[in-house]
Amino acid sequence: MNLPSMPPTPSDPLIPVVPTHRCASPWWRVLAVALALALLLGWATSASMVEQLKAQIKHLQAKVELLPQVRQLAVLLDDKQLPALLVTFDPGVGVLQLQRLNSVTETAQESLQLWALEDGKPPRSLGLVISEYKTLQLPLPAQALAGVAQLAISVQDKGGVPDSEGPRLPYVFKGWLVQKAV
């Protein structure tokens, strides 16, 4: 009688045990762990850089809001049509800035006075231009330039003249007030 043969068992000392699956080399495991760590480090670095860029954008946006935003400007020309004065206006701060572009100065008994010129209305004084500075800032509400077509400078007696008198002498500098596109 033939007995059915039984598959060998691992407990049989005469039959070698052959594994049914191959084990991965330890080097492959180390490489897999190193790649996983590199991937994690790359993700953390990119996430950090994104946050830093967001913070820089917010910082730069805040700086831009503090910068002057010129809305109106004029270049006042002398009698030879050469630039004499650059006038810019920032309504956010309410400052009219005047920058001298030539070396003309008034005498000790005179003052340079800035005038707003509107069509069909008498000239309105915006203030005195002090010659000791190349750049001068005059506080001015935004409504002060509403409807103004031109700006002009005249020479007046020391201290200037009131609006009711108007300029006593012809304008030495004059130019169009231009509204900058927003």
Side-chain angles (χ1 to χ4, degrees):
M1 157 176 330
N2 286 350
L3 291 172
S5 77
M6 299 277 289
T9 62
S11 62
D12 192 355
L14 300 174
I15 300 175
V17 177
V18 178
T20 57
H21 68 285
R22 288 206 65 166
C23 292
S25 166
W27 292 107
W28 285 109
R29 289 184 186 150
V30 169
L31 180 62
V33 169
L35 288 175
L37 287 174
L39 183 63
L40 184 62
L41 182 63
W43 175 80
T45 302
S46 66
S48 172
M49 288 178 70
V50 166
E51 290 304 316
Q52 287 177 3
L53 288 173
K54 285 180 184 177
Q56 285 179 349
I57 288 171
K58 284 182 183 179
H59 174 72
L60 291 174
Q61 285 174 336
K63 282 179 88 172
V64 166
E65 289 175 6
L66 296 176
L67 290 175
Q69 302 294 320
V70 173
R71 296 286 185 240
Q72 294 170 308
L73 60 101
V75 176
L76 305 187
L77 306 175
D78 62 13
D79 58 345
K80 296 176 186 159
Q81 297 302 304
L82 295 174
L85 203 70
L86 174 65
V87 181
T88 56
F89 182 65
D90 179 0
V93 181
V95 171
L96 188 70
Q97 182 167 311
L98 298 98
Q99 296 173 328
R100 289 180 181 258
L101 303 175
N102 65 11
S103 59
V104 173
T105 58
E106 67 274 11
T107 65
Q109 296 82 23
E110 298 174 327
S111 291
L112 296 178
Q113 193 162 358
L114 178 65
W115 298 92
L117 308 177
E118 295 180 56
D119 292 332
K121 293 185 179 178
R124 187 168 30 92
S125 177
L126 297 176
L128 297 177
V129 180
I130 301 169
S131 65
E132 63 188 71
Y133 305 111
K134 278 294 217 183
T135 301
L136 174 70
Q137 291 185 341
L138 297 173
L140 195 68
Q143 303 85 346
L145 294 178
V148 174
Q150 290 183 311
L151 296 176
I153 299 280
S154 68
V155 178
Q156 303 299 324
D157 293 329
K158 191 69 175 172
V161 295
D163 283 351
S164 59
E165 290 183 28
R168 137 183 100 77
L169 295 173
Y171 301 120
V172 289
F173 311 131
K174 191 174 181 180
W176 294 98
L177 184 64
V178 178
Q179 179 74 30
K180 182 181 162 193
V182 180

